[in-house]
Amino acid sequence: MIAILEIQDLHVSYRSSGGGLCPALTSVSFGLMPGEIMGVLGESGSGKSTLAGSLVRLLPANARITRGAVQFEGTDLLRANADELRQIRGRRISLIFQEPSLALHPTMRVGEQVRQVLAAHDSLGKGALNEQTRQVFDQVFPEEPDRISHSYPHQLSGGQRQRVLIAQAIACGPSVVIADEPTASLDPTTQMEILGVFRNLREKLGLAMIFITHNPALLCGFADRVLVLYAGKVAECGSAETVLASPRHPYTKALFHSIPTVFDRPGNTRKTKLPAILGDSARSLPIRGCPFEPRCTEKMDICKEREPAAVNLSASHTVSCFKYES
Amino acid sequence: MKVEATIGKNMQPLLRVENLVKRYAKQSLAGTPEEFLALDGVSFTVFPGTTLAVVGESGSGKSTLAACLACLESPTAGSIWFAGREIAKLEERASRQIRPQIQVIFQDPASSLNPRWSVMEVLAEPLILQRKFTREEIDRGISSLLERVGLSPDIVERSPTELSGGQRQRLAIARALALEPKLLILDEALSALDCSVQAQIANLLVELQGSLEMTYLFITHDLAMAAHLADEIAVMDRGRIVEQGQAQKILKQPEQETTRQLLAAVPRLTLVPPLLEQ
Amino acid sequence: MRYLLRRLGHALLLLAGVSVLTFLFTALAPGTYFDEMRMNPQIAPETIAALRAQYGLDKPLPLRYASWLSSLVHGEMGFSFAYNSPVAPLLLVRAGNTLLLTITSTLLAWAIALPLGTWSAERMGRLPDRLLSWGTAMLLVIPDLALALGLLVLAVRSGWFPTGGMASVGFETLSPFNKLRDVALHMILPVTALVLSTLPLLFRHVRAAIADILDAPFLLAALGHGIPKRTLLYRYALPAAANPLISLFGFSIGMLLSGSLLIEVVMSWPGLGPLLLEAILARDLYVVIGGILFSTFFLVGGNLFADLLLYWADPRIRTESNAQ
Ligand SMILES: Nc1ncnc2c1ncn2[C@@H]1O[C@H](COP(=O)(O)OP(=O)(O)OP(=O)(O)O)[C@@H](O)[C@H]1O
Ligand SMILES: Nc1ncnc2c1ncn2[C@@H]1O[C@H](COP(=O)(O)OP(=O)(O)O)[C@@H](O)[C@H]1O
Ligand code: SF4
Ligand SMILES: [Mg+2]
Ligand SMILES: [Mg+2]
């Protein structure tokens, strides 16, 4: 099968107020298969939102995509012109933003906000447009489509707002949806409910998805593949079963360890020390060597000297760590 | 485990809440006045040096409870006893002494930390307000607070906006500790942080409980973290505590449907058996 | 609905307060209309005293206020000494003329400021935006009076438009269409002066409000859904920036009204301005009070209208005010 979205050697930097460039993404490459859910894991500041934004070129003004290509349906999105991009955004590739309470227009009825997305891409008549809007709401809010579509965002709960964002994203029948921490601000019950909505849509519409999160537990039984970002670099990438069950990169392992496991462990581990990753995130990067080196518990001498390259452990599992270089 | 031993000894509770009711006046869109019961007769006790976790879905009244305990809202009915005294009946003078002993930390510390202040000023303010320290004592106090929460002293010149989420949360904890509180209310204090940072802050909380005998009211919708940190768990649903008991018992034998639903919704890394053996 | 009723209540209270205050102040001001008569040896002091008694000026203040209130109810608002007629009808004609000027220039100024400000905000920092900002900054520092006088000089030199009054000689003989045209021609100069005096402020506020909103996450999200630029600016950004602008709208009515009173005097437009000035100089008590009250009424009305707009434009205010 060929990938529907192919990211090749993507480099993105932010221009700091001093004038220098600080890298946010370095040499990120992966392919998204049709109908596949790719989970992207990483801590705050690891470049997850930057990745989501650069795929459709929606980045802050001081961001620079310095190298790479994003192939989608025969075009390189990084070189497409403004009008081509506008045609693709929302119609072929949709974005779902991090904060559902901020991503909706505060004084426009949510039905209208979905209608506007449809109107932006199809020159339908008024009747057909309203009919399509109704169909989208029927899909996402099977219980009470009409009441919700006549509501303003502030009258909806967090979960309902998130569903509206989903409605906007799937309105035009895209083939790829990029969701940036879509459930981070929701409580667990609502979180599960939204994951269920995504799962249904994938089955019904055959969507491919990039699902960004900082919670590895969310990807269990949901994602097909997992990509772990650390300091803007791909630390580990592989099928969900492999990465979640037997992580290889020291960062991935440490990340999974830091989650409390009271449910699964025998005996009482309450109030014991969680094996947290020491040190303060990816912000203070070493100038040379492996980016995880300052916090790594398995570091070796060579780790300080140069950067590890990606190693193929199997056809679908790659890790960037010297431990696996032979 | 010292903690559990003390509970048995017939100690006086640090916090006792009886039949707390909070009613918000609300008007429906049709215009008919409606009363909204955010807290509907909540009662519980917390012993010194222990942690009570309050869990529940959004809108179940957790934050309202925190606001009432911290005197940010006044309850409609019921009473709150702190260290043997009823908070609502305290005189001005006693109230000024007692209130700082209850501190709250919110989900988004950025909103409660003045962005125009430096870390130094944020920490100095509560010390200065107590009016019993000299300049030197304040400086020493700040560095010991920073050390206590694991922040490096070279960030004192920065503004809170220049800190990471985890650092900001540590700063919020340090500022709360400056007032030498007995009770720390943590309202979703870990929810906005990454798992690895959550673990760091959770460790800090456990450590402070050991060294300072801190008492926590830990409000969260993360049951795994609640179970990890708490001695007891109270499950809230629509303004009521529907189930309360030992953390282990609630996890293993939940009695209420609400609790079972909450437990079922917790995402778990079930695919990690090799980790368990380690 | 309660919100609007409360606003209406506030407005009425404000009007009552202003009427009492103007009464007090005019009573405190030295001299009355009859003082000049007193200088005139041909008028007997008894006549003056009789006149004063006839107009009730010898009565204590509260009584005078009460009788003024009752005349207000009868649609008179007191009596003008100089025009020897009830005040209300006198003011009504003039107020209509002032309103014509104010409303026209308000609408015109906003009709220019909204698209111009939005357009400029989208090009923030580029040449057209910089030129506009610079130009409006210049206009902002020129006093209204200087602006009006400058325009007047320009009009007199060029002879392109009528330079004073509201109608040409022989206005009565014109056909309805030509009457309209004549008034419109006469309006050009004062309206231009008024628009030029407020446009810079409005433009700058619109530009700032839109620029503020352009960074909002929901606009980024809309961009991500492929919403076209024009829709984004005028259907998304402008309504979202509406709240501060609507408040400014209420304020701008007041600004244009007071500006209008001044310009009317300079350009001899037969509105409230010249009448009020005349009345103050002549100490024509009730005309002054009536004029001030009318102006306050317009101000309050403008703000009430803005509240109404706000209520209509922002669903959050609607539910909030319902919840209270
Ligand atoms: N506008 C910006 N200007 C400068 N640097 C930025 C900007 N936005 C992000 N960065 C930097 O780029 C890196 C990646 O940021 P990004 O926001 O993509 O991370 P993230 O994984 O989405 O984090 P979070 O979970 O906090 O959203 C970080 O080091 C961050 O400091
Ligand atoms: N100021 C308020 N006015 C009206 N209702 C409120 C107010 N604050 C909270 N509520 C209502 O009280 C309920 C409990 O809210 P909250 O304490 O915030 O719950 P939680 O923290 O569990 O999300 C919610 O249904 C909320 O709508
Ligand atoms: S390369 Fe070295 S420092 Fe980096 S993760 Fe592997 S062992 Fe740790
Ligand atoms: Mg992000
Ligand atoms: Mg809450």
Side-chain angles (χ1 to χ4, degrees):
Chain A
M1 226 192 316
I2 40 167
I4 183 166
L5 189 70
E6 181 85 45
I7 292 98
Q8 297 159 350
D9 195 30
L10 184 64
H11 288 69
V12 183
S13 303
Y14 287 100
R15 191 173 292 282
S16 65
S17 47
L21 281 177
C22 51
L25 286 180
T26 317
S27 196
V28 173
S29 306
F30 66 93
L32 182 72
M33 297 297 156
E36 178 186 51
I37 297 185
M38 167 73 101
V40 175
L41 262 182
E43 63 186 355
S44 174
S46 60
K48 305 182 298 290
S49 303
T50 310
L51 176 63
S54 48
L55 295 186
V56 285
R57 297 243 306 272
L58 270 184
L59 287 170
N62 63 334
R64 298 279 175 282
I65 300 178
T66 49
R67 188 139 47 105
V70 176
Q71 298 293 347
F72 176 74
E73 295 185 340
T75 29
D76 179 359
L77 296 183
L78 301 188
R79 280 161 195 85
N81 66 30
D83 202 51
E84 283 172 323
L85 267 178
R86 193 192 74 71
Q87 301 274 345
I88 288 172
R89 287 177 188 159
R91 194 165 67 89
R92 307 295 306 135
I93 303 181
S94 307
L95 266 179
I96 296 176
F97 280 91
Q98 198 156 352
E99 194 54 60
S101 54
L102 299 179
L104 288 170
H105 195 293
T107 62
M108 204 190 284
R109 292 182 199 277
V110 295
E112 176 65 17
Q113 302 197 35
V114 173
R115 215 178 65 100
Q116 288 283 353
V117 177
L118 283 164
H121 296 290
D122 294 304
S123 43
L124 294 166
K126 205 172 164 200
L129 205 58
N130 290 340
E131 178 53 30
Q132 280 220 0
T133 312
R134 242 184 51 87
Q135 280 175 10
V136 174
F137 271 89
D138 278 342
Q139 227 168 51
V140 184
F141 296 96
E143 280 98 40
E144 34 181 7
D146 289 328
R147 190 182 71 83
I148 303 278
S149 76
H150 281 98
S151 303
Y152 289 99
H154 72 273
Q155 295 168 328
L156 302 178
S157 73
Q160 287 168 333
R161 276 183 221 150
Q162 192 60 62
R163 278 175 186 251
V164 174
L165 293 192
I166 295 176
Q168 284 184 308
I170 61 162
C172 298
S175 44
V176 177
V177 171
I178 303 169
D180 185 5
E181 308 213 31
T183 62
S185 54
L186 304 176
D187 68 87
T189 333
T190 323
Q191 199 168 348
M192 280 298 132
E193 175 193 311
I194 295 295
L195 286 188
V197 175
F198 278 134
R199 217 175 277 140
N200 271 340
L201 288 174
R202 198 246 307 240
E203 264 159 40
K204 261 197 273 176
L205 312 176
L207 287 174
M209 232 178 119
I210 296 184
F211 187 91
I212 296 176
T213 177
H214 65 240
N215 188 356
L218 275 186
L219 298 178
C220 268
F222 177 67
D224 302 308
R225 276 202 298 154
V226 174
L227 179 104
V228 183
L229 272 184
Y230 187 82
K233 293 175 184 154
V234 179
E236 183 164 5
C237 182
S239 73
E241 291 91 56
T242 338
V243 177
L244 295 176
S246 48
R248 287 300 157 84
H249 196 280
Y251 169 67
T252 322
K253 284 195 267 184
L255 180 67
F256 293 178
H257 269 300
S258 65
I259 301 171
T261 48
V262 268
F263 291 116
D264 313 298
R265 290 208 190 187
N268 192 350
T269 56
R270 199 156 44 86
K271 288 195 185 178
T272 51
K273 228 174 153 74
L274 289 170
I277 305 175
L278 298 177
D280 191 30
S281 77
R283 259 160 259 256
S284 49
L285 280 185
I287 309 157
R288 266 191 321 159
C290 171
F292 190 53
E293 188 269 336
R295 305 167 77 186
C296 184
T297 50
E298 307 176 40
K299 61 184 155 202
M300 303 167 288
D301 290 338
I302 188 175
C303 305
K304 259 197 165 63
E305 278 154 30
R306 56 190 177 87
E307 248 180 79
V311 181
N312 282 322
L313 295 182
S314 71
S316 63
H317 193 182
T318 56
V319 178
S320 302
C321 174
F322 284 121
K323 278 177 62 193
Y324 306 97
E325 268 184 22
S326 49
Chain B
M1 308 308 96
K2 167 185 145 220
V3 171
E4 264 147 33
T6 50
I7 300 179
K9 273 195 221 149
N10 205 2
M11 280 183 74
Q12 203 199 17
L14 179 67
L15 179 69
R16 185 153 58 89
V17 173
E18 269 174 16
N19 239 334
L20 204 62
V21 177
K22 175 71 193 177
R23 194 174 278 135
Y24 287 113
K26 207 175 185 179
Q27 210 164 35
S28 72
L29 288 178
T32 49
E34 237 176 44
E35 300 224 298
F36 186 82
L37 260 188
L39 289 179
D40 186 8
V42 170
S43 310
F44 60 87
T45 51
V46 188
F47 288 89
T50 65
T51 304
L52 172 70
V54 179
V55 298
E57 281 186 41
S58 318
S60 57
K62 305 181 301 277
S63 302
T64 309
L65 176 63
C68 288
L69 293 179
C71 306
L72 301 175
E73 289 272 6
S74 47
T76 314
S79 53
I80 302 169
W81 297 74
F82 181 78
R85 307 169 72 170
E86 187 169 359
I87 290 191
K89 302 224 170 96
L90 287 177
E91 289 150 24
E92 176 74 24
R93 185 106 167 272
S95 154
R96 237 184 298 144
Q97 254 173 19
I98 300 272
R99 280 195 190 185
Q101 297 184 8
I102 305 178
Q103 288 293 314
V104 199
I105 293 173
F106 294 101
Q107 170 166 359
D108 178 20
S111 59
S112 60
L113 295 171
N114 188 338
R116 275 183 285 278
W117 284 6
S118 67
V119 170
M120 166 88 88
E121 286 165 315
V122 168
L123 290 179
E125 187 215 33
L127 295 174
I128 293 171
L129 283 182
Q130 288 177 56
R131 292 211 203 101
K132 57 181 183 194
F133 299 110
T134 63
R135 187 71 240 175
E136 267 166 41
E137 279 171 325
I138 287 177
D139 283 345
R140 240 180 299 132
I142 289 176
S143 46
S144 83
L145 281 173
L146 284 175
E147 195 191 317
R148 188 148 257 163
V149 299
L151 282 174
S152 100
D154 49 80
I155 63 158
V156 291
E157 299 295 331
R158 289 199 221 165
S159 113
T161 49
E162 293 164 354
L163 302 178
S164 72
Q167 285 174 329
R168 267 204 295 268
Q169 208 55 282
R170 283 173 197 264
L171 178 61
I173 294 175
R175 185 183 56 174
L177 289 182
L179 293 166
E180 295 171 17
K182 292 205 176 109
L183 176 68
L184 212 51
I185 300 173
L186 300 131
D187 187 1
E188 304 275 13
L190 304 185
S191 305
L193 305 172
D194 289 351
C195 318
S196 54
V197 185
Q198 282 191 13
Q200 288 177 3
I201 304 288
N203 287 345
L204 172 66
L205 292 176
V206 171
E207 190 187 306
L208 291 174
Q209 190 157 56
S211 60
L212 299 177
E213 277 278 303
M214 283 299 251
T215 310
Y216 299 128
L217 192 77
F218 186 75
I219 296 176
T220 185
H221 56 236
D222 180 356
L223 264 159
M225 195 51 93
H228 177 77
L229 286 177
D231 299 282
E232 281 199 31
I233 295 182
V235 182
M236 284 192 72
D237 185 25
R238 271 166 276 167
R240 293 166 171 278
I241 293 187
V242 291
E243 184 166 4
Q244 181 176 3
Q246 294 265 310
Q248 290 298 316
K249 198 189 141 284
I250 299 263
L251 287 188
K252 299 265 152 62
Q253 298 129 15
E255 273 164 18
Q256 297 293 322
E257 189 50 36
T258 320
T259 318
R260 274 194 284 274
Q261 273 172 10
L262 277 174
L263 281 170
V266 176
R268 297 181 204 177
L269 261 182
T270 44
L271 286 175
V272 203
L275 285 179
L276 298 181
E277 267 85 74
Q278 286 174 8
Chain C
M1 230 37 239
R2 277 246 288 277
Y3 163 83
L4 290 181
L5 284 180
R6 210 171 48 227
R7 286 310 178 125
L8 197 66
H10 283 178
L12 288 178
L13 229 79
L14 192 69
L15 275 178
V18 167
S19 74
V20 171
L21 278 181
T22 36
F23 242 85
L24 268 177
F25 280 124
T26 43
L28 288 178
T32 67
Y33 183 73
F34 303 102
D35 286 353
E36 263 164 61
M37 288 192 190
R38 215 170 280 157
M39 301 287 155
N40 191 338
Q42 284 177 350
I43 301 177
E46 292 78 33
T47 324
I48 294 173
L51 274 172
R52 283 177 62 94
Q54 185 194 334
Y55 289 119
L57 290 189
D58 53 350
K59 299 216 186 77
L61 205 59
L63 264 183
R64 260 155 60 195
Y65 185 66
S67 69
W68 177 81
L69 272 185
S70 91
S71 91
L72 175 69
V73 174
H74 292 108
E76 292 190 340
M77 300 183 78
F79 204 79
S80 163
F81 313 131
Y83 286 80
N84 205 10
S85 83
V87 170
L90 198 65
L91 281 175
L92 229 47
V93 182
R94 298 300 200 100
N97 295 344
T98 295
L99 223 50
L100 180 65
L101 214 54
T102 321
I103 290 183
T104 314
S105 37
T106 305
L107 292 183
L108 202 62
W110 278 96
I112 299 173
L114 278 181
L116 199 64
T118 312
W119 186 80
S120 191
E122 206 233 323
R123 286 162 184 71
M124 187 71 98
R126 290 203 248 146
L127 191 65
D129 172 59
R130 286 225 297 279
L131 282 181
L132 271 172
S133 301
W134 195 75
T136 49
M138 291 295 295
L139 267 178
L140 209 55
V141 293
I142 303 177
D144 291 1
L145 198 59
L147 201 67
L149 289 176
L151 279 175
L152 216 50
V153 170
L154 200 73
V156 170
R157 285 273 169 85
S158 67
W160 289 335
F161 344 94
T163 53
M166 187 174 167
S168 313
V169 197
F171 181 74
E172 297 306 323
T173 63
L174 294 174
S175 68
F177 173 75
N178 281 340
K179 273 186 183 170
L180 211 65
R181 190 168 153 268
D182 189 51
V183 172
L185 271 178
H186 278 85
M187 276 169 73
I188 289 179
L189 213 53
V191 165
T192 311
L194 281 175
V195 168
L196 282 184
S197 71
T198 37
L199 188 61
L201 191 84
L202 300 191
F203 165 80
R204 295 180 143 242
H205 273 88
V206 172
R207 175 174 170 271
I210 299 284
D212 252 6
I213 229 83
L214 280 183
D215 293 330
F218 64 84
L219 280 181
L220 195 69
L223 204 60
H225 291 126
I227 305 287
K229 196 125 218 177
R230 272 175 66 104
T231 319
L232 205 68
L233 276 181
Y234 296 99
R235 184 73 184 81
Y236 280 69
L238 204 52
N243 282 7
L245 294 185
I246 288 174
S247 307
L248 181 68
F249 179 75
F251 177 73
S252 76
I253 293 181
M255 223 168 59
L256 279 163
L257 183 70
S258 61
S260 170
L261 296 186
L262 179 78
I263 299 241
E264 282 169 7
V265 173
V266 179
M267 300 196 171
S268 44
W269 180 267
L272 282 175
L275 180 67
L276 204 56
L277 185 69
E278 233 174 76
I280 290 172
L281 291 179
R283 303 198 172 77
D284 197 351
L285 190 63
Y286 291 110
V287 177
V288 174
I289 294 174
I292 293 178
L293 220 56
F294 257 93
S295 313
T296 322
F297 180 74
F298 292 156
L299 267 184
V300 170
N303 279 313
L304 207 61
F305 183 62
D307 284 337
L308 205 76
L309 268 181
L310 206 59
Y311 187 79
W312 170 77
D314 194 335
R316 288 166 300 186
I317 293 180
R318 283 205 292 272
T319 34
E320 224 167 80
S321 65
N322 278 330
Q324 267 167 15

